[in-house]
C-alpha cells in the first residue's frame, strides 16, 4: 500500500532576480533544496520591473489558515493572470479551478443577513471581509464565473443596508474607510448609493485613505468631476495608522488601493506609484495576505490598462532546449522541469528591450531543520497527566491520556489581534476531540475560532498588552513507534512583528 508521508514544514522559496539587456544571453545556475519530491522551479520573464508576481502569489495560495480574507486574497489576483500573463494551457486550467473552488468556499461564509463571517460557521458578520469578498465576487462574475445562487442578491441587500445605517464616528478607527470601500463595491456592482456617498463626502474628518476609495466610487458611478475633486484633496504620503489593524491593511495596501483609484481617474501619478509597489513586491519584505493580494491586484490592473512591451526570447534548461517565448504580453511564466541537485538555465533575449528575469526555486525543508524564531510572542508548553502532574512525553506508554498546555504571552505593551497558534501532533498520538463533552468547557480558553483536524489544532485569538492565554488539548498516546513532534508556531497574521516558532523533538510510544 502506498501511503503519502506528510512533512508539515512550510514551503520555502528562494528568488534569483536579474536583468537581460537587449539581445543578451545569460546563464544562471541554481540548486534544488528541501526533501525529494517537494522541489519545484518557475521562471518569470517581464518587460516591467520585477515584482515577484510568481513568488508572492505562491505565498497566498500556500497560506495555511482559511478565514474569509485569506481565501479571497488567495484567488483575487488569479482573476487577472491569464489576461496579463503568457501562461501555459495547463496553468490556465489550474487557475480556473482555483477560482471556482474559491467562489464556492466564499459562498459558505455568507450569514443569514447576507454579509460574510470572518470564520466559517460564525454568526457574526465581518465588515471588511464582507466588502472584500464581495469585491472579488463582482469581478469574478464580470469575467464569466458563476456565483452561488442568491449570493449576490443577499450580499447587495446587506451592503445597501449597512451603507444606509453607517454614521460618522470620531472615535472608531477607519470606519470611514470601511464605509468608502462598501460604497465602492456597490458602485462596482452597478448600484451606486449616491446619497450615502454625498453624506460621507461631507464628513469633516474624512481620512486620506477613505478619500481615495470614495473618489473611486464616484468614478465608477460616472461622477468624474466629483472623483477628481476628492482625489485632489488626498495625498500619496501614506502613514501607518492604528486603523489599518481593523481592515487587515498596511501602508502598502493603502498605497495599492490609491493606485487603483488613480487608474480609474486617469491620474498620471499611478505610474510612479506602480514602480514603488513593484519594488516592494520584489523585495524580501514581509507582507500580509491582504497587502500582498491588493498590491498584486493593483499591478495587474495597471498592466491590463496600460499594457507593456512584448517578449521574444528563448531558453534552455541544463543544456537542453526548453522553449521559445514570442508573446504580446508583458509578463510570461513557465515551470522548469528541474533535476535534483545542480541545474542551470540559459536565456537569450531576441529583442532590443530589457527583460527582467526571476527564477524561483522552492522546496520543503526536512524535519529537524526548522529554524526557531522569537519576536513579540512568548510561548511555553507543558504536558500533564490526568491528575495534573507534569510528565515527560519523550517516552509514553500506549493508551496514556494526557493534556498539552500551551501558554502564549504578548511581550509588548500593545494589543495584538488575529494570532494563529498551530500545534501539529505526532501521528502516534491522537487528539481527543472534547468539543461535545464536559471537558470541552475548559479545553479552549477564549479563542475566537478553533479548527481541529486529524493531526493538528489551530487556535485563533487576540491578546491585550502583556496578556497571556493558555490553551489545553486532550491527547492519547495511541500507536506504538517513534514519531516526530513538530515545534509550535504562533504568528499575528497581519503583523510580522509577532512571530514565534520552536524546534521539534522525537518521541516514542511504547508497550
Amino acid at each position: 500500500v502506498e501511503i503519502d508521508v506528510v512533512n508539515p514544514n512550510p514551503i520555502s522559496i528562494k528568488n534569483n532576480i536579474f536583468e537581460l539587456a537587449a539581445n543578451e544571453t545569460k546563464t544562471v545556475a541554481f540548486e534544488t533544496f528541501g526533501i525529494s519530491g517537494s522541489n519545484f522551479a518557475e521562471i518569470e520573464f517581464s518587460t516591467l520591473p520585477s515584482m515577484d508576481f510568481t513568488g508572492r502569489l505562491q505565498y497566498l495560495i500556500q497560506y495555511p489558515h482559511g478565514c474569509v480574507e485569506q481565501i479571497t486574497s488567495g484567488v483575487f489576483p488569479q482573476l487577472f493572470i491569464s489576461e496579463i500573463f503568457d501562461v501555459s494551457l495547463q496553468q490556465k486550467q489550474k487557475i480556473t479551478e482555483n477560482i471556482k473552488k474559491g467562489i464556492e468556499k466564499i459562498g459558505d461564509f455568507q450569514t443569514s443577513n447576507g454579509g460574510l463571517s470572518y470564520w466559517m460557521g460564525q454568526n457574526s458578520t465581518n465588515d471588511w471581509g464582507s466588502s472584500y469578498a464581495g469585491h472579488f465576487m463582482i469581478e469574478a462574475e464580470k469575467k464569466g464565473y458563476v456565483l452561488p445562487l442568491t449570493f449576490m442578491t443577499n450580499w447587495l441587500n446587506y451592503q445597501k443596508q449597512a451603507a444606509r445605517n453607517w454614521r460618522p464616528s470620531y472615535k472608531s478607527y477607519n470606519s470611514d474607510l470601511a464605509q468608502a470601500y462598501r460604497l465602492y463595491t456597490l458602485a462596482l456592482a452597478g448600484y451606486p448609493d449616491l446619497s450615502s456617498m454625498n453624506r460621507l463626502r461631507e464628513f469633516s474628518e474624512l481620512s486620506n485613505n477613505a478619500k481615495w476609495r470614495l473618489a473611486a466610487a464616484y468614478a465608477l458611478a460616472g461622477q468624474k468631476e466629483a472623483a477628481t475633486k476628492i482625489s485632489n484633496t488626498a495625498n500619496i504620503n501614506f502613514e501607518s495608522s492604528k486603523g489599518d489593524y481593523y481592515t487587515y491593511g498596511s501602508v502598502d495596501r493603502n498605497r495599492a488601493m490609491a493606485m487603483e483609484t488613480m487608474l480609474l481617474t486617469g491620474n498620471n501619478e499611478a505610474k510612479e506609484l506602480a514602480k514603488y509597489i513593484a519594488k516592494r513586491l520584489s523585495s524580501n519584505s514581509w507582507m500580509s495576505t491582504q497587502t500582498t493580494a491588493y498590491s498584486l491586484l493593483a499591478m495587474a490592473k495597471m498592466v491590463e490598462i496600460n499594457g507593456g512591451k512584448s517578449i521574444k526570447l528563448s531558453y534552455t534548461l541544463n543544456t537542453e532546449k526548453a522553449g521559445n517565448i514570442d508573446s504580446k504580453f508583458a509578463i510570461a511564466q513557465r515551470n522548469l522541469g528541474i533535476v535534483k541537485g545542480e541545474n542551470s538555465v540559459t536565456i537569450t533575449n531576441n529583442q532590443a528591450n530589457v527583460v527582467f528575469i526571476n527564477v524561483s526555486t522552492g522546496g520543503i525543508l526536512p524535519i529537524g531543520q526548522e529554524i526557531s524564531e522569537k519576536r513579540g510572542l512568548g510561548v511555553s508548553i507543558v504536558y500533564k497527566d490526568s491528575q495534573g502532574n507534569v510528565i515527560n512525553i519523550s517516552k509514553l506508554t500506549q493508551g496514556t491520556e494526557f493534556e498539552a498546555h500551551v501558554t502564549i504571552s504578548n511581550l509588548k505593551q500593545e494589543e495584538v489581534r488575529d494570532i494563529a497558534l498551530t500545534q501539529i501532533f505526532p501521528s502516534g498520538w491522537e487528539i481527543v476531540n472534547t468539543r461535545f463533552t464536559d471537558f470541552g468547557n475548559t479545553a479552549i480558553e477564549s479563542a475566537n475560532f478553533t479548527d481541529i483536524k486529524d493531526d493538528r489544532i489551530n487556535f485563533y485569538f487576540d491578546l491585550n498588552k502583556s496578556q497571556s492565554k493558555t490553551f489545553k488539548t486532550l491527547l492519547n498516546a495511541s500507536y506504538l513507534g517513534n514519531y516526530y513532534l513538530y515545534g509550535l508556531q504562533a504568528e499575528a497574521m497581519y503583523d510580522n512583528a509577532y512571530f514565534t516558532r520552536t524546534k521539534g523533538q522525537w518521541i516514542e510510544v511504547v508497550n
Side-chain angles (χ1 to χ4, degrees), residues 387-399:
Q387 279 78 46
N389 304 313
V390 175
I391 58 170
N392 180 1
I393 46 86
S394 58
K395 187 182 279 190
L396 290 173
T397 308
Q398 186 179 24

Side-chain angles (χ1 to χ4, degrees), residues 232-253:
N232 284 344
T233 65
N235 63 65
I236 56 168
N237 301 319
F238 296 96
E239 293 178 0
S240 181
S241 76
K242 185 74 176 171
D244 290 336
Y245 224 49
Y246 297 86
T247 63
Y248 316 110
S250 64
V251 172
D252 285 317
R253 194 280 311 270

Side-chain angles (χ1 to χ4, degrees), residues 411-484:
L411 304 178
K412 297 193 177 184
Q413 293 296 310
E414 59 184 13
E415 180 196 16
V416 56
R417 301 178 70 217
D418 301 306
I419 299 168
L421 166 63
T422 302
Q423 285 177 273
I424 303 173
F425 296 108
S427 43
W429 296 356
E430 281 199 332
I431 298 166
V432 181
N433 191 340
T434 57
R435 201 176 273 182
F436 308 109
T437 67
D438 292 339
F439 185 82
N441 298 330
T442 55
I444 298 160
E445 184 191 307
S446 56
N448 300 335
F449 185 71
T450 305
D451 183 16
I452 302 175
K453 290 186 166 60
D454 285 346
D455 66 339
R456 70 192 66 195
I457 294 190
N458 291 316
F459 295 104
Y460 302 93
F461 55 98
D462 307 326
L463 285 176
N464 294 324
K465 60 181 181 182
S466 304
Q467 187 186 7
S468 295
K469 282 187 178 178
T470 300
F471 300 95
K472 299 179 200 171
T473 307
L474 187 59
L475 300 159
N476 184 287
S478 303
Y479 306 103
L480 299 173
N482 290 297
Y483 305 94
Y484 193 74

Side-chain angles (χ1 to χ4, degrees), residues 483-501:
Y483 305 94
Y484 193 74
L485 168 61
Y486 297 91
L488 294 166
Q489 181 165 305
E491 59 177 324
M493 295 187 290
Y494 303 100
D495 188 346
N496 197 40
Y498 296 88
F499 182 92
T500 295
R501 181 170 53 215

Side-chain angles (χ1 to χ4, degrees), residues 173-388:
Y173 290 116
N174 264 10
S175 77
D176 60 345
L177 175 58
Q179 172 72 343
Y181 191 28
R182 190 181 296 115
L183 294 170
Y184 166 87
T185 60
L186 285 170
L188 187 67
Y191 297 91
D193 183 346
L194 288 167
S195 59
S196 294
M197 285 156 67
N198 293 335
R199 186 154 49 94
L200 180 61
R201 188 181 173 183
E202 288 163 13
F203 179 39
S204 59
E205 291 189 21
L206 194 63
S207 68
N208 192 49
N209 296 328
K211 284 177 184 176
W212 282 116
R213 195 72 328 202
L214 184 59
Y218 274 109
L220 289 171
Q223 308 273 332
K224 288 284 166 70
E225 194 182 326
T228 307
K229 268 188 181 176
I230 294 169
S231 56
N232 284 344
T233 65
N235 63 65
I236 56 168
N237 301 319
F238 296 96
E239 293 178 0
S240 181
S241 76
K242 185 74 176 171
D244 290 336
Y245 224 49
Y246 297 86
T247 63
Y248 316 110
S250 64
V251 172
D252 285 317
R253 194 280 311 270
N254 298 338
R255 203 175 269 121
M257 286 186 106
M259 186 180 124
E260 193 189 2
T261 302
M262 289 173 185
L263 292 170
L264 276 171
T265 57
N267 188 323
N268 290 328
E269 284 185 281
K271 284 184 181 174
E272 284 306 308
L273 214 49
K275 284 180 189 172
Y276 185 82
I277 291 169
K279 190 178 171 184
R280 291 285 295 154
L281 281 167
S282 62
S283 73
N284 291 324
S285 303
W286 178 87
M287 284 183 172
S288 72
T289 48
Q290 170 89 176
T291 301
T292 305
Y294 229 103
S295 298
L296 294 179
L297 185 63
M299 292 304 292
K301 289 194 173 184
M302 175 84 177
V303 177
E304 195 179 35
I305 291 167
N306 295 334
K309 295 173 188 168
S310 60
I311 297 170
K312 190 175 183 181
L313 46 80
S314 56
Y315 63 101
T316 59
L317 177 67
N318 300 329
T319 70
E320 289 182 23
K321 191 160 181 60
N324 292 308
I325 295 176
D326 188 353
S327 174
K328 67 181 192 300
F329 291 96
I331 307 170
Q333 187 187 49
R334 294 289 184 271
N335 288 324
L336 294 175
I338 53 172
V339 295
K340 190 168 173 61
E342 295 286 342
N343 290 264
S344 70
V345 62
T346 302
I347 308 147
T348 302
N349 185 6
N350 299 320
Q351 273 191 168
N353 63 353
V354 176
V355 179
F356 300 90
I357 315 285
N358 181 12
V359 179
S360 293
T361 50
I364 299 174
L365 295 173
I367 54 172
Q369 287 189 23
E370 59 268 31
I371 300 158
S372 58
E373 290 184 54
K374 182 179 177 181
R375 51 180 185 271
L377 294 172
V379 59
S380 67
I381 182 164
V382 291
Y383 295 91
K384 295 183 179 181
D385 61 19
S386 52
Q387 279 78 46

